[in-house]
Amino acid sequence: MTQLHLAVALDGAGWHPAAWRSPDARPAELFTAAYWKSLVADAERGKLDFVTIEDTLTIQSADRFAADERTDQVRGRLDATLVAARVAPASASIGLVPVATTTHTEPFHVSKAIATLDYVSSGRAGVQIRGGGLGGEVALFGRRDFPELSWEALQAPEVQQLIAELFDETADFVDVVRRLWDSWEDDAEIRDAATGRFIDRDKLHYIDFHGRWFSVRGPSITPRPPQGQPLVTALGHSTVPYRLAARQADVVFVTPLDAAGGRQILNEVRQETAAAGRGGELRVFADLLVFLDSDKAQLDEWDGAELRSDARIVAGTPAELADTIEELGSIGYDGVRLRPGVLPTDLTAIADRLVPELQRRGLFQPRYDEPTLRGRLGFARPASRYLEGAVR
Amino acid sequence: MTKPRKQIILGHYLGGVNHSTVWSDPAAGSQIDFSSFRHAAQTAERGKFDFFFLAEGLVLRERLGRIFDQDVIGRPDTLTVLAALAEVTDHIGLVGTLNSTFNEPYELARQLASLDHLSGGRAGWNVVTSSDAFTGRNFRRGGFLKREDRYVRAQEFLAVVRQLWDSWADDDLVADPQSGHFVRRGDAGSFAFAGQQFDVSGRFTVPRSPQGQPVILQAGVSAEGREFAAGGGPDAIFSPYHRLAEAQPFYRDIQERAKRNGRQPGSVKVLPGGSFVLGDTEADAVERHREIARAQITGRGAQILLETVWNRDLSGYDPDGPLPDVDPDPDAPPVIQGRARIHQDPSATVAEWRAIAEENKYSLRELAIHVFGHVEFVGTPTQVADRLDEFVQNDGSDGFIIGSHLTPTGLDEFVDRVVPLLQERGSLRTEYEGTTLRDNLGLPAPARPGDRVAG
């Protein structure tokens, strides 16, 4: 059996909307550095490959298309990239992958922020690209005129067209972010006192990107980050995002609900990867929402509804969860990303009970041999795409 | 009546991308590795500084259409480094320069409020504006802003940001499992703003941060800049004046404008930059300054610095010879792009420089060193401490933003040798009094959001 990769997705008090009401939850601390440091320390104790940190620009809502007025669920969150940067010097080995929204933001800013996260974490940075863009996000920026969204409007051809375009824009965004990371060759800084030159400017490159939604000249203001290319990840539920991931990402998170669905998704992702000419360069992770030591029934009762999720929900023992993970591994998944139902309860259980079980079964090796996140996932450090390129 | 002794405010500016930073010194370290930022911030905290400060430039400078290769270039993302520094420091404020033209208020307010939470109330923002299309080439909207609209945008930007920071009341976050209320009201974070530059609304995701309002700093000496600073604007303003004769009237003017705008006395701090060179004797310090200035401003560097005013290619003029005999060419396409133009009237500046060069028999390079290699505080530690203290006690400013020619260890000797002298005089704290940047600066608490936001 091949070794699997293991990640956790961190979000507020956990992925159940009532998680914050659990006895072990720390709801008053969700906006403190100490809380995030302790979560990342738990994950690092289990020697997980990386954590992702959720983010959206809009406030959480039970209504997918608009802010609701509920007071009984977690509302509010901090900027995920800054949370990742804050915990970076407090951790040593684990990968840090914040979510970054692409639609109303600047690729130039996101590129240098993730490059800097790579510097402050000594090569452990990644980013989860989130397209977003519609719904309440539009008014927060007030720069673009998008139609209002609802379940009914979702199937309208013009809305479907717009969503497809937003994915195209996201693809351009990632392309620019990646080009900017490459825009300084690794050895551009020469400090040559004899000629008085700090850099060899022939090793800095204008990216000169011209797209439908934006143009970016470059180079970055930030030198090439330690990993060269920090890890790019994305979550997808259908063909269009799979295609985006196949073209632009290193890791895609998908949401198979059972073994049959898992095979189907994997086939589709592989087709897209082959079509993009990137066979074997995309790691596919299955997302699972897990309850190990928390009481899902009690949480559902508090929330007044049974939990619904895009991802498969597994409530059981570490051995039962390990069975599910083993099955996904046998189908051909490269890893799983676990969304703990309650933090820190279910994260602690992952680190202290699931990991030993997976190790016993030979499914996961809890050790940090490779210093960089890319290295942990079996990726080499890429050369800059501009290395051979024409130089002004 | 004896005037109480003022506490000197100290910020540390970690240099980097400019001619002042000497990269050829064997002791010069990385301008990008986190270890450099950590060392500088921790050194400043060891010296009980109020804040650590990072500048920003969103485009690499160019000369005649090619990227500058003489000076240190390359810098990190400001907010990301400041967030990481919060882990390795405990008290020092974390202040970043961030552009109001090539950011959007919702996103920036969110990042700064996040930094304030993650640092336990130590976030500060130096608001800058720009309008140049050269920088705009790296951003979605390009050079969209007319020069005359810069302050309009900056003012509205700040108004939106402040509204966002006030959009959660102190007690909106309940997080009480017993009652089942995570937030007190269902519309926590609601905001709406409609102006010339922004039409935005929605709900802000960040509960009120430890400082309520992170500290705002701003540069600008124009009348509109001063009024902005003294009115609803910043908590601190950067002053360009280093001589008491100029500094005192500026200081008084800011205080009077603040008073007219109904702000409490002392609620707008005035801070000039300050660089220093120390020596065991005054002669040592002067000699060391001479060496540093020659390392900062090489012959090639001198030509380029003068090009910023001449706006001509001066590479053919001998640095050790006289000043270029041609007139400046302000209407030609810019020779140097991506750095602020300091000199508004090139012809007048050149005339002034010619007079200085003539009087002192300066070569091109010597003139450049005279103009651009100036260091405010050169002397023994005692002399430097005396002059810093006198300047502040005589209301030339409330303190200084201290920079050095050496990254990242340049501040070490200042903290080792000057700081204890200031502490002996009772002009600098020996322990931090509070936990936030506002506490460090002695700024009044911001108005509670309930007092400001209707509904």
Side-chain angles (χ1 to χ4, degrees), chain B residues 184-212:
Chain B
R184 185 175 55 84
R185 55 190 175 111
D187 62 346
S190 291
F191 72 97
F193 183 98
Q196 286 179 50
Q197 289 285 327
F198 303 105
D199 183 0
V200 291
S201 61
R203 282 176 64 190
F204 193 49
T205 70
V206 187
R208 190 155 172 86
S209 72
Q211 293 187 107

Side-chain angles (χ1 to χ4, degrees), chain B residues 111 197 277 298 317 337 348 377 402 435 440:
Chain B
Q111 291 166 327
Q197 289 285 327
V277 175
T298 60
Y317 290 86
Q337 295 221 77
F377 301 101
I402 304 287
T435 59
N440 292 351

Side-chain angles (χ1 to χ4, degrees), chain B residues 46-261:
Chain B
R46 184 161 65 82
K48 304 292 184 281
F49 275 48
D50 294 82
F51 61 91
F52 177 77
F53 175 70
L54 290 177
E56 181 185 64
L58 294 173
V59 64
L60 298 181
R61 289 177 290 162
E62 289 181 5
R63 177 182 175 277
L64 294 172
R66 298 197 63 193
I67 292 164
F68 236 72
D69 59 4
Q70 312 282 312
D71 296 347
V72 171
I73 68 165
R75 54 172 120 220
D77 180 68
T78 302
L79 287 158
T80 309
V81 166
L82 294 178
L85 286 173
E87 169 62 20
V88 297
T89 56
D90 292 317
H91 288 97
I92 196 163
L94 301 166
V95 179
T97 298
L98 297 157
N99 193 298
S100 64
T101 306
F102 298 108
N103 282 289
E104 295 300 322
Y106 183 83
E107 197 183 9
L108 199 57
R110 190 166 183 266
Q111 291 166 327
L112 285 160
S114 294
L115 178 64
D116 206 42
H117 277 286
L118 293 168
S119 64
R122 296 189 279 142
W125 172 29
N126 174 33
V127 187
V128 295
T129 68
S130 66
S131 66
D132 62 305
F134 181 68
T135 304
R137 296 192 303 190
N138 284 335
F139 296 96
R140 284 177 182 261
R141 299 174 81 182
F144 71 98
L145 189 65
K146 283 188 283 191
R147 196 175 160 74
E148 59 269 28
D149 288 340
R150 285 183 312 154
Y151 274 101
V152 175
R153 181 168 169 101
Q155 294 228 26
E156 279 196 10
F157 197 113
L158 194 51
V160 177
V161 166
R162 286 201 186 282
Q163 191 187 2
L164 288 164
W165 287 341
D166 278 350
S167 66
W168 287 67
D170 287 325
D171 57 356
D172 276 342
L173 182 63
V174 183
D176 176 19
Q178 301 309 317
S179 71
H181 286 290
F182 186 82
V183 286
R184 185 175 55 84
R185 55 190 175 111
D187 62 346
S190 291
F191 72 97
F193 183 98
Q196 286 179 50
Q197 289 285 327
F198 303 105
D199 183 0
V200 291
S201 61
R203 282 176 64 190
F204 193 49
T205 70
V206 187
R208 190 155 172 86
S209 72
Q211 293 187 107
Q213 297 268 324
V215 170
I216 303 287
L217 299 89
Q218 191 225 334
V221 291
S222 66
E224 69 190 324
R226 290 183 191 204
E227 197 59 29
F228 179 45
D235 303 295
I237 181 165
F238 295 136
S239 156
Y241 303 114
H242 295 98
R243 287 201 298 263
L244 272 178
E246 298 167 321
Q248 285 171 327
F250 180 76
Y251 189 88
R252 275 197 302 275
D253 183 47
I254 293 295
Q255 305 309 326
E256 280 159 18
R257 285 175 195 263
K259 196 175 168 188
R260 278 205 302 279
N261 282 287

Side-chain angles (χ1 to χ4, degrees), chain B residues 275-289 375-385 387 413 417-418:
Chain B
S275 49
F276 68 93
V277 175
L278 300 179
D280 291 335
T281 65
E282 187 173 359
D284 283 349
V286 170
E287 173 57 21
R288 203 172 154 221
H289 173 220
V375 169
E376 287 80 28
F377 301 101
V378 179
T380 65
T382 304
Q383 288 173 323
V384 169
R387 278 151 57 197
E413 59 178 342
R417 302 180 72 185
V418 179

Side-chain angles (χ1 to χ4, degrees), chain B residues 9-55:
Chain B
I9 291 170
L10 291 177
H12 176 40
Y13 159 60
L14 185 65
V17 182
N18 51 46
H19 72 271
S20 320
T21 305
V22 175
W23 53 261
S24 55
D25 191 304
S30 171
Q31 85 290 4
I32 189 68
D33 287 348
F34 182 60
S35 57
S36 289
F37 296 91
R38 182 171 53 206
H39 178 88
Q42 289 179 339
T43 302
E45 187 164 83
R46 184 161 65 82
K48 304 292 184 281
F49 275 48
D50 294 82
F51 61 91
F52 177 77
F53 175 70
L54 290 177

